[in-house]
Amino acid sequence: MQLIVVSNREPYIHKKAGSTISVEQPAGGLTSALDNVLRTVQGTWIAWGSGSADREAVDARGCVRVPPPSPSYTLRRVWLGQSETDNYYAGYSNRVLWPLSHVTLDRVYYTKRYWESYRKVNRKFADAVIGELHEDSLVWIHDFHLCLVPLFIKETAPSATVGHFWHIPWPDWGTFRILPQARDIIEGLLANDLLGFQIPLFAKNFMNCAQEALSAVIDPERGSVVYNDHTTVLKAFPISVDFDSFQTMAASKKEYSIRHLKKQLGIAGGYIGIGVDRLEYTKALLKRLQAIDLFFDKYRSFIGRFTFVQIAVPTRLSEPYISYKRSVEDMIARINMKHAQGSWKPIVYITTKVEHHDLALYYRIADVAIISSVYDGMNLVAKEYIASQVDEKGVIILSEFAGASEELSGALPLNPYDIETFAENIKRALLMPAEEKRSRMRALREHVRSNNLSKWTDDFLQALESCRERPRRERDGAFLFFDYDGTLTPLVDDPRSAALSKSTRDLLAGLRSVYPVAIVSGRTLFDVMNMVDLRDILYAGNHGAELWDGQRVIIGSDGPVDPQAIRAFLQEITPAMAGIPGVMIEDKGVTISVHYRNVDGRRRQDVVERFRHLADAYRNTLSLVEGNMVLEARPRTVWNKGDAVAWILRTFGAGRLPLYVGDDATDEDAFRVVDQAGGISIGIGMKTGAPCYLESQAGIEDLLSWLGQTGNP
Ligand code: ADQ
């Protein structure tokens, strides 16, 4: 197996300082997690070469072996111009997708050039991946910067196995739909074979978005989405940290290192709190500071006895981060001025990057860690703190809106918007009895120990491997849909006499034990169920407006159905057709049908025109459907055959290959849904619309017996 990791941020940055070149590892959850993976499995990491000396460090293909000094994998750099950095990275990624996904909507700022650049850069990344692909490659893409890369890869290399991990939250459709390119982004991600999220809620939100934006066929139980004949598996993989490494780093610190660090921080005694973050508004540093301020206001006895150490490394050095940084600094200065006593100050503020081996000591000495994110994919700091708590004396206060809170039930939960309870929680954490602290921390440590970083990578890669093993067009089998009149029975003058032949019924009964079967008809539900007279199949009547799901009748509609309009239409259409012999008006409850098969050929057009004329007056509430010698008036909100098929597939058959047989213009909606789900549409006596067709209805029994014999059409 050759692993190709693809991310925006590179794991090693070459920087120029005068005439020397140094190599740095950027702060941030993603890179620290994945560097470990590639060190173990080797392979290639494709990322933006953002360092001032990056070009000097690479070979002609843009590659450099890392990590220094003992390299174990290849870093291939993708080059971006200044305008791409501004528009793709600072623009579409950081000012559109990031705030949108974190539901900080007033920070979303969008312009067209951001999107154009985003597409262009995603194409560059995809080209770099294609240049590295081998037959046994597994491609693992990361995060929101690269949503279109899977699609671009698959356009050139459809058999590549591609997975994507989404590190940040995925919001619900009500939020995501504000994005002008919501469909494109979701479509790009659905080209993945595997799409991983931090917690099940984000996978569920994405699934709903796929359904709403693209009418993709979803299977919530199995966690898959079928779109354009391609299945994407969705799954939660909660990311973690290297527990052993943090534990070892923390445990290795001797008493004198601890004393030395406290002295350096100016902490003479008392409790210590810690916050470690990129200087990022979603981490809610301001709310945290407000709570600390209130804590000292309310609980004066902690003045001089609690010091909060905030390590905040500046990030994304543009707006709104510059202003946010300034606000944080101002607030810290104000709080320190307000509460300082003698040489003690409440907040120690560190703005440099602290290497993990030093960070482990900060975590170890802290009596409380505060994670206050307003929304966060996971939050690795929470887990790093737990792994470093070798003395089991610390308490973690953790925002309910960080993905980590799903797993870390021993933490004190926090709503960062509730500043008063936040302040109380700090007191509660500090004064918690030692035994309670220990038992909570022990359980948390056990959890992180057994759900560590290597489990995360193993789980993801294993799931991705099994996508490769899945045959490309593997389905669970077919789902058969049949129209009734003109499909299962020949068209006759009087619909009441269109009985199903015994041989056709027997064939259908046989198919029922091999595939799920649904009959989708323009007749009323009651009527078609009576005519077919078979149990254990699903029915949709009234062109999709009524459904039988095996247990109950469902009215299929996208909104309220006003019965008044259809009644009024019936009152008017009856006298309008009165003078035309052969017209049959059928009151189907939710809808009205006017059959004119038995009308003299010269007067048929007259029927159609009278109907259209009247229907026009009702165009705001009713829609007109023209079928084979039948006209139908339906409330606008009720489902058509396509909607019914989509619902049946969603509810009973995600992952199955739909096959639909129909003969009528009203079947076209169903053909469209079936085609979109990668299924097979078969028209009877009609060569347009449906890509396959039967010459005439007489061939239906041959088709049914063939379906019975073949395992999977
Ligand atoms: P982030 O929001 O960057 O990433 P987060 O989970 O908060 O990640 O972790 C931050 C990482 O940066 C930690 O490893 C921490 O030690 C390190 N770090 C922060 N400040 C530092 C400093 N001053 N010096 C050194 N290191 C520092 C995204 C999502 C998260 C998700 C991660 C991983 O937003 O929700 O947990 O990816 O998937």
Side-chain angles (χ1 to χ4, degrees):
M1 181 265 278
Q2 179 227 19
L3 179 63
I4 303 176
V5 167
V6 195
S7 71
N8 171 71
R9 178 55 55 96
E10 55 182 343
Y12 294 94
I13 305 179
H14 288 81
K15 286 193 174 164
K16 229 184 262 179
S19 58
T20 57
I21 292 179
S22 63
V23 186
E24 280 181 18
Q25 272 191 284
L30 169 74
T31 43
S32 44
L34 284 162
D35 180 50
N36 286 327
V37 182
L38 269 178
R39 281 176 195 236
T40 326
V41 303
Q42 310 189 341
T44 304
W45 188 324
I46 295 172
W48 166 33
S50 57
S52 53
D54 272 357
R55 283 178 194 266
E56 291 172 41
V58 297
D59 64 16
R61 292 176 60 243
C63 295
V64 55
R65 297 280 298 162
V66 290
S70 37
S72 51
Y73 67 92
T74 300
L75 170 60
R76 176 168 173 167
R77 286 174 168 146
V78 172
W79 308 116
L80 305 185
Q82 188 55 49
S83 131
E84 290 168 331
T85 310
D86 292 346
N87 294 304
Y88 142 79
Y89 175 64
Y92 203 78
S93 300
N94 289 347
R95 298 190 76 180
V96 181
L97 290 177
W98 174 271
L100 174 65
S101 302
H102 288 86
V103 200
T104 48
L105 300 187
D106 53 341
R107 292 190 194 259
V108 174
Y109 177 79
Y110 166 78
T111 82
K112 277 207 179 81
R113 64 172 195 282
Y114 286 177
W115 171 242
E116 284 152 17
S117 177
Y118 187 86
R119 277 186 67 86
K120 216 169 113 198
V121 172
N122 271 242
R123 178 77 67 185
K124 277 192 188 182
F125 273 90
D127 290 346
V129 174
I130 290 160
E132 296 293 324
L133 272 182
H134 292 119
E135 190 141 308
D136 67 340
S137 299
L138 287 182
V139 182
W140 189 1
I141 305 167
H142 289 267
D143 238 354
F144 56 98
H145 314 86
L146 305 172
C147 296
L148 305 180
V149 172
L151 185 66
F152 294 155
I153 295 174
K154 289 290 181 99
E155 280 171 1
T156 308
S159 61
T161 306
V162 183
H164 203 130
F165 187 76
W166 190 262
H167 288 257
I168 62 176
W170 188 283
D172 61 18
W173 175 240
T175 300
F176 200 76
R177 73 198 178 117
I178 73 165
L179 182 67
Q181 294 80 26
R183 286 171 56 94
D184 306 68
I185 293 291
I186 295 168
E187 199 165 37
L189 290 168
L190 284 177
N192 283 297
D193 299 297
L194 175 66
L195 182 52
F197 294 92
Q198 302 276 21
I199 56 172
L201 172 69
F202 302 153
K204 182 172 153 247
N205 285 348
F206 178 86
M207 199 176 262
N208 289 340
C209 287
Q211 187 182 13
E212 295 290 343
L214 302 169
S215 302
V217 179
I218 64 168
D219 182 345
E221 241 163 62
R222 293 168 37 148
S224 63
V225 178
V226 180
Y227 178 67
N228 274 347
D229 195 23
H230 174 260
T231 301
T232 307
V233 174
L234 306 186
K235 201 166 179 271
F237 299 90
I239 198 169
S240 193
V241 296
D242 184 344
F243 181 91
D244 290 341
S245 157
F246 272 94
Q247 165 166 268
T248 310
M249 289 185 293
S252 69
K253 307 294 178 191
K254 301 281 180 283
E255 201 41 50
Y256 68 80
S257 314
I258 297 176
R259 272 202 310 276
H260 177 72
L261 178 62
K262 285 186 181 171
K263 193 166 164 218
Q264 203 184 334
L265 298 173
I267 301 173
Y271 298 105
I272 298 175
I274 186 105
V276 178
D277 311 81
R278 289 186 298 106
L279 227 172
E280 161 61 56
Y281 57 82
T282 60
K283 309 289 180 188
L285 273 81
L286 290 177
K287 293 194 188 327
R288 187 183 313 173
L289 293 170
Q290 281 166 3
I292 290 170
D293 187 18
L294 185 63
F295 167 80
F296 284 116
D297 280 341
K298 283 178 82 168
Y299 309 113
R300 305 294 300 164
S301 63
F302 284 96
I303 295 281
R305 289 178 51 229
F306 174 59
T307 310
F308 189 72
V309 181
Q310 177 63 58
I311 304 179
V313 64
T315 182
R316 303 178 187 171
L317 304 166
S318 59
E319 284 300 347
Y321 292 91
I322 296 169
S323 307
Y324 189 72
K325 178 170 175 282
R326 202 173 307 124
S327 305
V328 167
E329 285 165 1
D330 288 351
M331 194 179 287
I332 289 176
R334 200 175 50 72
I335 295 171
N336 276 347
M337 185 112 71
K338 180 172 162 193
H339 298 291
Q341 252 183 24
S343 62
W344 174 84
K345 57 180 179 178
I347 298 170
V348 175
Y349 185 43
I350 298 168
T351 54
T352 52
K353 184 175 176 238
V354 180
E355 295 303 334
H356 275 171
H357 51 84
D358 294 326
L359 207 48
L361 181 57
Y362 282 89
Y363 287 141
R364 181 176 166 184
I365 64 169
D367 300 281
V368 59
I370 302 182
I371 285 113
S372 53
S373 317
V374 282
Y375 215 7
D376 216 333
M378 176 55 59
N379 196 293
L380 293 178
V381 170
K383 295 185 175 180
E384 290 169 3
Y385 175 71
I386 290 166
S388 307
Q389 270 293 310
V390 289
D391 309 311
E392 297 176 343
K393 69 177 180 70
V395 178
I396 180 163
I397 298 181
L398 177 59
S399 166
E400 295 164 42
F401 311 124
S405 76
E406 284 246 322
E407 297 168 76
L408 305 180
S409 49
L412 289 189
L414 168 75
N415 177 341
Y417 295 92
D418 179 358
I419 302 293
E420 284 172 338
T421 315
F422 194 159
E424 279 163 30
N425 264 345
I426 299 175
K427 185 182 86 164
R428 186 177 160 206
L430 298 180
L431 299 184
M432 186 181 281
E435 204 31 60
E436 185 182 346
K437 287 183 181 173
R438 188 174 305 282
S439 78
R440 279 174 184 263
M441 187 48 75
R442 201 164 275 175
L444 286 168
R445 284 172 60 72
E446 216 28 70
H447 178 84
V448 180
R449 191 198 308 271
S450 44
N451 293 279
N452 60 11
L453 180 65
S454 63
K455 179 169 186 307
W456 177 73
T457 51
D458 289 353
D459 286 353
F460 191 93
L461 289 172
Q462 225 169 58
L464 189 55
E465 276 280 6
S466 54
C467 289
R468 171 160 56 196
E469 283 153 17
R470 196 165 36 125
R472 289 279 135 205
R473 285 180 53 94
E474 178 244 321
R475 301 282 190 140
D476 290 340
F479 200 125
L480 307 183
F481 294 86
F482 300 99
D483 166 47
Y484 184 77
D485 294 276
T487 298
L488 293 175
T489 63
L491 287 174
V492 291
D493 290 343
D494 182 354
R496 285 168 298 189
S497 64
L500 190 68
S501 73
K502 180 176 178 319
S503 49
T504 307
R505 180 175 290 109
D506 288 347
L507 283 166
L508 276 176
L511 285 176
R512 198 174 45 166
S513 55
V514 186
Y515 310 101
V517 176
I519 310 294
V520 183
S521 168
R523 288 173 182 262
T524 63
L525 184 63
F526 176 75
D527 191 8
V528 68
M529 287 176 75
N530 243 347
M531 299 300 263
V532 176
D533 196 20
L534 282 174
R535 283 160 173 262
D536 298 330
I537 61 177
L538 303 166
Y539 292 90
N542 232 327
H543 293 115
E546 302 166 309
L547 296 108
W548 172 252
D549 73 353
Q551 288 179 329
R552 67 213 150 101
V553 177
I554 294 164
I555 297 296
S557 84
D558 291 327
V561 178
D562 172 14
Q564 298 305 327
I566 203 79
R567 292 298 103 201
F569 183 82
L570 180 63
Q571 296 281 316
E572 289 198 62
I573 196 76
T574 310
M577 297 290 172
I580 307 177
V583 170
M584 196 190 94
I585 298 177
E586 191 186 359
D587 178 358
K588 302 199 291 187
V590 189
T591 66
I592 304 289
S593 286
V594 174
H595 301 268
Y596 60 98
R597 181 172 304 280
N598 297 333
V599 171
D600 183 286
R602 283 161 302 178
R603 297 214 57 190
R604 285 178 180 166
Q605 195 50 33
D606 190 18
V607 173
V608 173
E609 271 158 26
R610 286 184 194 198
F611 189 97
R612 284 183 186 157
H613 177 73
L614 186 55
D616 192 47
Y618 285 82
R619 63 181 174 280
N620 291 335
T621 43
L622 301 181
S623 58
L624 160 66
V625 179
E626 301 194 17
N628 198 340
M629 300 290 169
V630 61
L631 301 159
E632 190 171 87
R634 314 164 56 76
R636 284 203 162 275
T637 47
V638 299
W639 287 354
N640 60 31
K641 286 185 172 183
D643 299 321
V645 168
W647 182 84
I648 291 172
L649 269 179
R650 242 184 355 253
T651 315
F652 301 102
R656 286 187 173 269
L657 179 95
L659 181 146
Y660 188 103
V661 192
D663 74 310
D664 190 316
T666 63
D667 294 310
E668 296 280 354
D669 293 315
F671 290 156
R672 257 192 301 280
V673 168
V674 166
D675 293 346
Q676 202 168 49
I680 302 167
S681 302
I682 300 179
I684 294 184
M686 53 199 304
K687 295 190 186 179
T688 52
C692 307
Y693 71 98
L694 274 185
E695 208 57 69
S696 78
Q697 192 277 333
I700 190 70
E701 292 199 352
D702 288 342
L703 176 66
L704 296 182
S705 18
W706 177 78
L707 285 168
Q709 284 153 20
T710 178
N712 200 345

